[in-house]
Amino acid sequence: MNDNHENAKKIVKTPVLLVAGLNDKLVKPQGTIDLYQELSTPDKKLMTIRSGEHLIFEQGQCSPQVFLLVVGWLESHAGKGRTVKQPNREH
């Protein structure tokens, strides 16, 4: 985990979304905020969830609002400057 901040500095072009629960008892929210600040990419977003704990996306913890925010971010970045090849599927 000590390399996280150094590795964050190396992320220059890749979009990054970080989601932190402010009630997280396992990972201090400030650690996620610090990591966010170390990211070199200009295309970064930090979502803090006031009532969120460590397992934000577990069943029963992910509110529809959080889900929609994450989906919105993903949709806004889908295919952005990238070509995605669909796998060949045999039926």
Side-chain angles (χ1 to χ4, degrees):
M1 296 273 264
N2 292 336
D3 294 335
N4 288 348
H5 291 270
E6 288 305 312
N7 289 327
K9 293 175 186 176
K10 297 175 186 176
I11 301 173
V12 177
K13 295 181 183 178
T14 304
V16 176
L17 170 64
L18 295 177
V19 183
L22 296 181
N23 285 334
D24 193 333
K25 304 294 187 242
L26 187 59
V27 176
K28 293 178 182 175
Q30 187 60 49
T32 304
I33 293 166
D34 294 344
L35 185 64
Y36 171 81
Q37 292 171 339
E38 295 288 344
L39 291 164
S40 296
T41 182
D43 191 356
K44 60 186 179 179
K45 180 151 181 95
L46 172 62
M47 292 182 188
T48 56
I49 312 303
R50 185 182 338 212
S51 62
E53 296 179 11
H54 187 71
L55 302 174
I56 294 171
F57 298 107
E58 289 290 313
Q59 186 174 0
Q61 288 196 40
C62 186
S63 72
Q65 294 85 359
V66 171
F67 179 78
L68 289 173
L69 286 170
V70 171
V71 168
W73 187 89
L74 291 170
E75 287 178 341
S76 73
H77 288 80
K80 207 178 202 182
R82 295 167 184 78
T83 303
V84 178
K85 292 185 178 181
Q86 296 296 323
N88 292 333
R89 296 185 182 186
E90 296 181 18
H91 297 281

